[in-house]
């Protein structure tokens, strides 16, 4: 519970500070709100438009199976998405977009696209800020070049990869909402068209290659057919045996397969050279080093796989019905199992080999990602070439075996068999190339790229910035925070007394808290006396201020129970802290308590007690101490029964020596016998040494501090001076206290109101008695 109370006390104290320094917070918050208003008026509204595209490489097809791995890589990945973003950021694409925007030129609402114009506000006053009130910048209609537009577009447009899908978001910001949407859609359209052209260019290269091969194959077929026809016309009809016909068929099929391999090998070699040319632009030595990086184990597996595949094909070529025959079927199944195992081992070895050569390349993007992708393509293409070359060598061996069998035939039959074999082989190659050429044409025309538009940008309705609610909220929070910091900082730098708790925390004894009292420059007639209005115990004995003085009287009466105070010195640290007002009102409340009170004005330098009570200054204390007048001559009756006053008298040349004289001590000793309470008003401690000198002849010293005026350090220094001289500093009175300024809210202020209200009844009976007769006027 103690900890909770401590926390509540700390929070309450901070709340007191913030409320007391509320003007700092109000000014800071008002300034922040003004800045927010200026920002809303001076900031050009920015609108954001957004579109998105999907990167789907599965949409693409390949012209023929032999080149399937050359055209594109694997499925979309972070690396591919990042590469596409780098492409979108390129200056070449920005220039193409700029060119298209210049062709559009006119905005849908009839205005020229501002992105194409030099639309910066003029720097000449007052035109520079005219747009604040018009709502749009004062612009000059100068059409920019494509280079300048591209530079501006690269600043306006940004690209962002999707988190959960292979999406790329195209985002543009512009002061004109429709223009932002136009820029995004133009970027998407340009990028999609560029992707389509690049994708089709790959198929175009494959189609041109097949077209060249088809032309050569057609010429070769035509030549072989002509040669066969000429030979048969010259030799006449030659009948071949069934075995020879089967040999010709097998030999032609093997020859056709060999030619198909040559076509695929040529395509792969062309693709490899393209990759090498591309990577040489980045790393000149990389292409050669990657091509030379061969793995003997991969080469061995490729040769074994090629041999098994050729053997399987030969079995099927000799006996097309082999899969329905038991002995052949078992042999085929066994070879298929061996082929699948070899393919699996070859794939694993290839993957590990490429990973060992290119560690980490698949995780990069940008230029580094392009280089890594080219390296991987070179290695994969080279391994495919090695596998096809191994298969080609096996087919060459098969063809050589067929040639040996053909040479065993009679010469006329052998020549005819070779010609027929060549015709069949060229015919099969030609048909194969025609089929692939037609597929390439269809693929080229039907290729739509791998970019799909998911969302096109629409014209935004609300601006992205500035957002009024966000601006007002932000500046309000900043204003309150800065105001709070300034309030706490001002409180930390302000050393003046603000609350009684500050003094109590520093070890001072709080004897009383006196509320604010009006200036004593005004006077009011009270019987035969003309007293100052700050004597509230006489003028308004039922008010809260008079009750505060009565509480102070009670505190002084019980501050030393074993040795009651009889002679009390009232002083302060600085001038104008209200010590004279305090001592005058305190003397009145003591007299109202039916005590004999002597009030002495010992401030011989600037006396003011005589004005407060409307008395004569001379003769006074200075005449008494210089024996120019007797005690009865200097004592003047106050405006209330029991109150006697000794004014300061004539200003002496040596006040300190006079107050510290033996005559002063004798006078105080004698006065103790005549009066119940003696109150002495002295100069401030911080100005002269009079109060310290008088401290030796009194029973206790009361320090008066003024709310929001006296520095805390001065109060502490005054107490230290008195303690160093072994004088009895009994406590502090906080004068002119304003609860509302101190705490700023009704909670604590209500305490003082309640105290004054309760004091009404207490002060009423003390001032008027039971018979309602005013006791304030003594005579």
């Amino acid at each position: 519970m103690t900890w909770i109370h401590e926390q509540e006390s700390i929070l309450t104290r901070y709340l007191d500070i913030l409320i007391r320094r509320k003007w700092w917070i109000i000014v800071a918050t008002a300034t922040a709100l003004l800045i927010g208003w200026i920002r809303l008026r001076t900031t050009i509204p920015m609108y954001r438009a957004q579109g998105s595209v999907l990167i789907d490489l599965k949409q693409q097809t390949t012209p023929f199976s032999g080149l399937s791995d050359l055209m594109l890589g694997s499925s979309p990945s972070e690396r591919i998405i990042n590469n596409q973003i780098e492409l979108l950021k390129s200056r070449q694409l920005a220039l193409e977009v700029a060119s298209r925007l210049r062709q559009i030129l006119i905005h849908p609402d009839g205005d020229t696209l501002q992105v194409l114009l030099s639309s910066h506000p003029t720097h000449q006053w007052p035109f520079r800020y005219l747009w604040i009130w018009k709502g749009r910048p004062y612009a000059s209609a100068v059409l920019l070049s494509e280079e300048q537009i591209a530079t501006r577009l690269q600043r306006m447009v940004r690209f962002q990869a999707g988190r959960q899908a292979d999406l790329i978001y195209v985002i543009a910001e512009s002061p004109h909402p429709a223009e932002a949407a136009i820029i995004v859609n133009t970027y998407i359209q340009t990028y999609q068209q560029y992707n389509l052209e690049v994708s089709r260019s790959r198929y175009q290269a494959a189609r041109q290659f097949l077209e060249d091969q088809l032309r050569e194959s057609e010429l070769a077929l035509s030549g072989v057919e002509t040669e066969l026809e000429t030979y048969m016309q010259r030799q006449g009809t030659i009948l071949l045996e069934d075995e020879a016909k089967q040999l010709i068929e097998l030999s032609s099929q093997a020859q056709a397969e060999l030619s198909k391999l040559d076509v695929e090998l040529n395509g792969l070699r062309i693709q490899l050279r393209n990759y090498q040319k591309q990577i040489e632009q980045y790393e000149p030595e990389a292409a050669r080093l990657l091509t030379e990086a061969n793995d003997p184990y991969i080469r061995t597996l490729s040769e074994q796989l090629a041999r098994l595949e050729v053997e399987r094909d030969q079995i099927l070529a000799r006996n097309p019905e082999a899969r329905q025959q038991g002995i052949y079927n078992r042999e085929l199944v066994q070879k298929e199992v061996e082929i699948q195992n070899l393919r699996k081992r070859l794939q694993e070895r290839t993957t590990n080999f490429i990973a060992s050569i290119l560690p980490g390349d698949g995780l990069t993007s940008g230029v580094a990602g392009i280089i890594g992708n080219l390296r991987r393509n070179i290695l994969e293409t080279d391994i495919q070439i090695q596998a096809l070359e191994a298969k080609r060598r096996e087919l060459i061996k098969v063809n050589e075996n067929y040639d040996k069998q053909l040479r065993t035939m009679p010469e006329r039959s052998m020549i005819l068999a070779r010609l027929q074999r060549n015709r069949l082989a060229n015919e099969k190659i030609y048909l194969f190339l025609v089929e692939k050429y037609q597929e390439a044409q269809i693929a080229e025309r039907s290729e739509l790229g791998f970019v799909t538009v998911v969302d096109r940008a629409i014209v935004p309705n609300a601006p992205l910035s500035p957002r009024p609610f966000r601006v007002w909220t932000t500046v309000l929070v900043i204003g309150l925070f800065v105001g709070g910091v300034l309030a706490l900082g001002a409180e930390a730098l302000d050393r003046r007394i603000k609350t009684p708790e500050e003094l109590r925390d520093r070890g001072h004894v709080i004897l009383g808290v006196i509320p604010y009292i009006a200036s004593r420059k005004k006077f009011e007639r009270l019987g035969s006396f003309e007293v100052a209005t700050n004597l509230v115990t006489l003028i308004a004995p039922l008010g809260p201020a008079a009750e505060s003085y009565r509480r102070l009287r009670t505190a002084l009466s019980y501050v030393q129970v074993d040795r009651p105070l009889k002679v009390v010195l009232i002083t302060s640290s600085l001038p104008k802290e209200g010590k004279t007002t305090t001592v005058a009102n305190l003397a009145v409340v003591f007299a109202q308590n039916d005590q004999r009170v002597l009030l002495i004005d010992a401030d011989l330098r600037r006396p003011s007690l005589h004005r407060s009570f409307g008395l004569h200054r001379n003769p006074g204390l200075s005449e008494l101490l210089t024996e120019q007048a007797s005690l009865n001559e200097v004592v003047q009756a106050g405006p209330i029964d029991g109150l006697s006053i000794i004014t300061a008298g004539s200003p002496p040349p040596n006040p300190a020596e006079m107050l510290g004289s033996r005559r002063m001590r004798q006078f105080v000793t004698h006065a103790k016998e005549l009066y119940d309470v003696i109150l002495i008003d002295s100069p401030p401690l911080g100005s002269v040494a009079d109060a310290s000198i008088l401290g030796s002849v009194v029973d206790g010293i009361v320090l008066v501090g003024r709310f929001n005026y006296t520095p805390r350090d001065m109060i502490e220094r005054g107490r230290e001076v008195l303690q160093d001289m072994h004088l009895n500093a009994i406590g502090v009175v906080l004068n002119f206290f304003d609860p509302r300024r101190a705490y700023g809210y009704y909670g604590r202020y209500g305490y003082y109101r309640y105290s004054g209200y309760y004091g009404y009844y207490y002060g009423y009976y003390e001032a008027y008695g039971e018979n309602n007769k005013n006791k304030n006027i003594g005579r």
Side-chain angles (χ1 to χ4, degrees):
M1 294 299 294
T2 303
W3 179 83
I4 294 176
H5 290 312
E6 290 178 356
Q7 296 300 317
E8 290 179 352
S9 177
I10 293 173
L11 292 175
T12 302
R13 186 167 303 178
Y14 278 113
L15 182 61
D16 291 344
I17 294 173
L18 294 177
I19 295 176
R20 183 165 64 246
R21 301 282 182 176
K22 58 182 176 293
W23 283 109
W24 285 98
I25 301 175
I26 293 173
V27 171
T29 304
T31 303
L33 292 175
L34 177 62
I35 294 173
W37 180 84
I38 294 174
R39 172 174 171 76
L40 289 175
R41 294 298 302 175
T42 58
T43 302
I44 300 176
M46 295 298 293
Y47 295 84
R48 173 187 289 177
Q50 176 177 299
S52 59
V53 295
L54 175 67
I55 307 300
D56 187 6
L57 298 182
K58 295 180 181 179
Q59 293 182 3
Q60 286 194 326
T61 57
T62 54
F64 52 87
S65 59
L67 299 178
S68 61
D69 294 330
L70 305 179
M71 295 300 150
L72 291 171
S74 58
S75 60
S77 64
E78 181 181 357
R79 171 174 54 86
I80 295 175
I81 297 297
N82 290 336
N83 289 339
Q84 294 304 311
I85 289 178
E86 292 296 326
L87 175 61
L88 284 164
K89 291 180 180 178
S90 66
R91 186 163 185 81
Q92 186 62 35
L93 193 66
L95 287 170
E96 181 64 26
V97 174
S99 176
R100 295 195 178 199
L101 289 175
R102 283 170 65 93
Q103 295 175 4
I104 298 174
L105 190 61
I106 302 300
H107 203 276
D109 59 7
D111 293 337
T112 305
L113 293 175
Q114 296 299 311
V115 71
L116 307 178
L117 304 177
S118 176
S119 57
H120 297 291
T122 179
H123 295 284
Q124 296 181 358
W125 178 267
F127 301 103
R128 182 177 184 180
Y129 296 106
L130 281 178
W131 58 272
I132 296 177
W133 312 108
K134 293 182 179 180
R136 60 185 306 169
Y138 181 84
S140 57
V142 178
L143 189 64
L144 299 175
S145 65
E146 289 187 5
E147 291 285 342
Q148 293 172 319
I149 297 172
T151 301
R152 181 175 292 181
L153 288 173
Q154 287 181 313
R155 293 196 301 263
M156 294 174 58
V157 185
R158 60 188 179 91
F159 310 94
Q160 182 177 340
R163 294 183 179 179
Q164 302 296 331
D166 299 314
L167 292 175
I168 297 179
Y169 296 98
V170 183
I171 304 168
E173 296 180 4
S174 172
H176 310 278
E179 180 178 287
I182 290 174
I183 292 174
V184 170
N185 292 329
T186 305
Y187 248 100
I188 291 176
Q189 181 182 0
T190 305
Y191 171 59
Q192 189 180 29
Q193 183 64 32
Y194 173 82
N195 173 260
L196 178 61
E197 292 175 357
V198 170
S199 298
R200 287 185 175 179
S201 66
R202 297 176 180 179
Y203 291 98
Q204 183 180 7
R207 179 184 56 78
Q208 291 176 351
F209 168 74
L210 290 173
E211 188 176 352
D212 295 338
Q213 294 293 319
L214 182 61
R215 190 180 299 110
E216 294 177 1
S217 176
E218 185 178 3
L219 292 175
L221 178 60
S222 177
V224 170
E225 288 178 344
T226 301
E227 186 178 358
L228 176 62
E229 182 180 356
T230 302
Y231 180 77
M232 292 183 69
Q233 289 177 356
R234 186 173 60 249
Q235 298 296 330
T237 302
I238 300 175
L239 296 176
L240 296 176
E241 299 178 355
D242 293 339
E243 183 178 356
K245 292 180 180 179
Q246 184 180 10
L247 181 61
I248 292 172
E249 179 66 27
L250 293 174
S251 179
S252 64
Q253 185 172 348
Q255 185 68 32
E257 291 293 331
L258 184 60
S259 298
K260 291 178 183 178
L261 280 178
D262 289 337
V263 172
E264 293 183 2
L265 277 171
N266 290 333
L268 287 172
R269 291 189 180 108
I270 292 173
Q271 190 66 46
L272 181 61
R273 285 195 296 271
N274 290 335
Y275 288 143
Q276 290 172 343
K277 289 179 181 179
Q278 293 179 40
I279 201 171
E280 283 175 357
Q281 299 176 2
Y282 301 99
E283 296 178 313
E285 294 295 323
R288 182 181 60 82
L289 294 175
L290 290 172
T291 305
E292 294 176 356
N294 295 324
D295 185 4
Y297 188 65
I298 292 178
R299 190 163 52 252
T300 302
L301 291 176
S302 299
E303 293 174 353
Q304 293 176 2
L305 180 61
R307 184 173 63 254
L308 287 174
E309 289 178 343
V310 170
E311 291 176 357
R312 178 200 60 191
D313 294 341
Q314 288 300 306
I315 292 174
L316 292 173
R318 292 191 186 97
N319 189 1
E321 304 296 331
R323 295 192 183 277
Q324 282 74 35
Q325 299 177 9
I327 183 170
Y328 291 111
N329 186 44
R330 287 194 297 271
E331 185 177 357
L332 286 173
V333 170
Q334 182 179 359
K335 289 188 180 297
E336 288 288 354
V337 172
E338 293 178 2
I339 289 172
Q340 294 300 326
N341 291 335
L342 281 174
R343 282 180 178 174
K344 183 177 181 181
R345 290 164 59 188
L346 179 60
Q347 183 178 3
E348 292 176 354
R349 183 68 179 187
T350 301
T351 302
N352 295 333
F353 174 69
I354 294 176
S356 65
I357 297 296
L358 305 174
D361 281 85
L363 300 178
T364 57
S365 61
V367 176
I370 295 173
I371 294 174
N373 194 29
L374 289 173
R375 287 177 172 179
R376 182 177 297 275
N377 289 337
I378 289 175
L379 288 173
E380 291 177 350
T381 305
D382 188 59
I383 291 173
Q384 291 178 22
I385 290 174
Q386 292 178 22
L388 290 180
E389 286 178 344
K391 189 173 182 179
R392 186 177 184 277
R393 287 192 292 271
E394 293 296 326
L395 286 174
I396 290 175
K397 293 178 182 179
V398 171
N399 278 318
E400 290 177 351
N401 184 34
Y402 287 143
D403 285 340
K404 289 180 182 180
Q405 296 181 34
L406 288 174
R407 283 196 294 270
T408 61
M409 298 174 61
E411 182 178 358
R412 292 177 61 192
S413 298
M414 178 186 67
I415 294 174
L416 179 61
R418 286 180 178 175
L419 291 174
Q420 289 182 349
R421 181 196 65 180
N422 291 340
R423 182 185 64 80
L424 289 174
N426 280 280
E427 184 179 359
K428 291 179 180 180
I429 293 171
Y430 178 76
L431 293 175
F432 167 77
L433 291 174
V434 168
E435 180 184 357
K436 294 303 177 185
Y437 178 72
Q438 291 175 350
E439 289 179 2
Q441 282 185 319
I442 295 173
E444 181 183 358
R445 294 173 182 175
S446 61
E447 173 59 34
L448 300 177
F450 55 84
V451 175
T452 302
V453 179
V454 178
D455 284 321
R456 295 191 181 274
I458 60 175
V459 179
N461 296 324
L464 174 67
S465 66
R467 296 180 180 178
F469 177 77
R470 180 180 295 179
V471 172
W472 290 125
T473 303
T474 303
V475 298
L476 181 62
V477 172
I478 292 176
L480 292 174
F481 175 76
V482 173
V485 171
L486 291 176
L488 295 175
E491 182 70 19
L493 295 175
D494 190 354
R495 310 303 298 172
R496 296 175 297 179
I497 301 172
K498 296 298 186 300
T499 62
E501 289 78 11
E502 294 178 1
L503 296 174
R504 187 178 295 113
D505 292 343
R506 293 175 176 268
H508 295 282
V509 176
I510 307 300
L511 297 174
V513 179
I514 311 300
Y516 177 77
I517 300 175
S519 173
R520 64 172 180 267
K521 293 182 179 180
K522 296 181 180 180
F523 296 89
E524 184 174 332
R525 173 66 61 176
L526 191 63
S528 60
F529 293 89
E530 190 174 359
V531 300
T533 54
N534 61 352
L535 291 176
V536 293
T537 51
L538 289 173
I539 302 300
L542 306 181
E547 173 58 22
S548 299
Y549 283 113
R550 284 189 280 271
R551 286 197 298 270
L552 175 59
R553 177 193 67 192
T554 304
L556 290 174
S557 300
Y558 294 99
V559 70
Q560 294 182 175
V561 180
D562 55 343
R563 188 169 61 88
L565 297 173
K566 195 166 187 179
V567 183
V568 180
L569 176 68
I570 309 297
T571 186
S572 61
S573 301
L574 298 173
K576 300 181 180 180
E577 292 183 308
K579 60 178 182 56
T580 300
T581 301
T582 300
V583 71
N585 282 281
L586 188 59
V588 171
V589 295
F590 269 112
Q592 288 174 344
N593 199 33
D594 294 330
Q595 291 179 283
R596 295 172 299 168
V597 181
L598 177 62
L599 176 59
I600 301 174
D601 189 354
D603 189 354
L604 303 181
R605 303 171 189 271
R606 299 183 62 182
S608 58
L609 268 178
H610 61 283
R611 288 195 298 270
S612 297
F613 287 95
L615 302 175
H616 297 291
R617 177 174 176 176
N618 299 319
L621 182 61
S622 58
E623 283 78 14
L624 176 64
L625 297 179
T626 57
E627 299 182 353
Q628 296 178 16
S630 64
L631 179 60
N632 292 331
E633 292 174 340
V634 298
V635 172
Q636 302 182 57
I640 185 172
D641 291 340
L643 176 60
S644 300
I645 303 172
I646 298 179
T647 58
S650 302
N654 52 350
E657 288 78 2
M658 184 176 294
L659 294 175
S661 64
R662 181 174 55 85
R663 177 69 176 165
M664 181 66 182
R665 288 194 296 273
Q666 292 176 349
F667 160 65
V668 173
T669 302
H670 178 63
K672 287 182 180 180
E673 299 175 356
L674 302 176
Y675 297 95
D676 299 321
V677 178
I678 300 174
L679 300 176
I680 302 176
D681 182 19
S682 71
L685 279 171
S687 302
V688 292
D690 296 6
S692 302
I693 295 172
L694 287 171
S696 60
V697 299
V698 300
D699 299 328
I701 302 174
V702 175
L703 283 172
V704 176
R706 182 171 179 174
F707 165 76
N708 204 31
Y709 178 79
T710 307
R712 294 187 292 269
D713 298 339
M714 292 301 297
I715 290 285
E716 293 182 359
R717 190 176 306 169
R719 182 180 62 177
E720 291 173 359
V721 169
L722 297 176
Q723 290 176 349
D724 291 342
M725 299 179 66
H726 303 288
L727 301 177
N728 185 19
I730 57 178
V732 177
V733 174
L734 182 57
N735 211 1
F736 294 100
F737 181 66
D738 187 349
R740 289 186 175 178
R741 292 180 61 190
Y743 302 112
Y745 60 98
Y746 184 79
R748 298 194 185 185
Y749 176 65
Y751 166 74
Y752 293 97
R753 289 191 60 185
Y754 174 76
S755 299
Y757 181 72
Y758 178 82
Y760 170 83
Y761 298 98
Y762 181 77
Y764 179 86
Y765 286 103
E766 188 170 277
Y768 293 93
E770 295 182 358
N771 298 323
N772 296 332
K773 181 180 180 180
N774 193 341
K775 298 167 61 177
N776 287 343
I777 302 175
R779 53 182 60 80

